[in-house]
Amino acid sequence: QVQLVESGGGLVQAGDSLRLSCEASGGGLSTFAVGWFRQAPGKYREFVAAITSGADNTDYADSVKGRFTIARDDAKNTVYLAMSSLKPEDTAVYYCAASQLNRIINKWEVTYNYWGQGTQVTVSS
């Protein structure tokens, strides 16, 4: 059983940067594709970014392209989401998730097997 723990969230101002981390325990993360999702108050959870096992493919939601970067360090069992030029509309709880469908980009929640508890990101204007 893989457990995922997100960290790195916080309160920042518009234009600032943050780096979120998703650390796995209970199993290696290298054999999973990993995705980041977010849920703003009163909204459905939405796809943000994903990376395949081996890091040979990444994809992003249009709203974050050019501002967010997903990367993985399998030696540390960790996937990162570097966020820059943050906007108030990026405010949400950010979740990481691991999928056994590890060679494709997964944008749908149902394709993920394990989820973290989330970390809050708040961007003030």
Side-chain angles (χ1 to χ4, degrees):
Q1 183 84 1
V2 174
Q3 290 88 40
L4 303 175
V5 177
E6 303 94 337
S7 61
L11 172 62
V12 297
Q13 294 187 328
D16 285 351
S17 299
L18 275 178
R19 188 178 76 162
L20 305 183
S21 298
C22 172
E23 185 172 4
S25 61
L29 199 57
S30 62
T31 59
F32 292 89
V34 176
W36 285 95
F37 292 77
R38 67 186 181 186
Q39 187 168 21
K43 295 188 176 181
Y44 292 107
R45 190 156 56 184
E46 64 176 1
F47 169 79
V48 175
I51 187 167
T52 53
S53 172
D56 53 342
N57 197 8
T58 60
D59 202 4
Y60 301 88
D62 288 343
S63 59
V64 306
K65 278 182 182 176
R67 300 188 298 121
F68 290 13
T69 302
I70 189 170
R72 62 190 305 154
D73 185 343
D74 290 333
K76 295 183 177 180
N77 246 5
T78 301
V79 170
Y80 303 98
L81 184 69
M83 308 184 295
S84 63
S85 302
L86 283 162
K87 305 175 181 180
E89 51 264 43
D90 294 318
T91 295
V93 177
Y94 283 71
Y95 300 88
C96 68
S99 172
Q100 293 173 334
L101 299 175
N102 59 8
R103 302 303 300 167
I104 61 173
I105 291 294
N106 304 298
K107 295 186 177 182
W108 308 108
E109 294 183 45
V110 294
T111 61
Y112 287 86
N113 307 96
Y114 304 102
W115 289 83
Q117 83 292 344
T119 185
Q120 176 70 47
V121 172
T122 303
V123 184
S124 64
S125 58

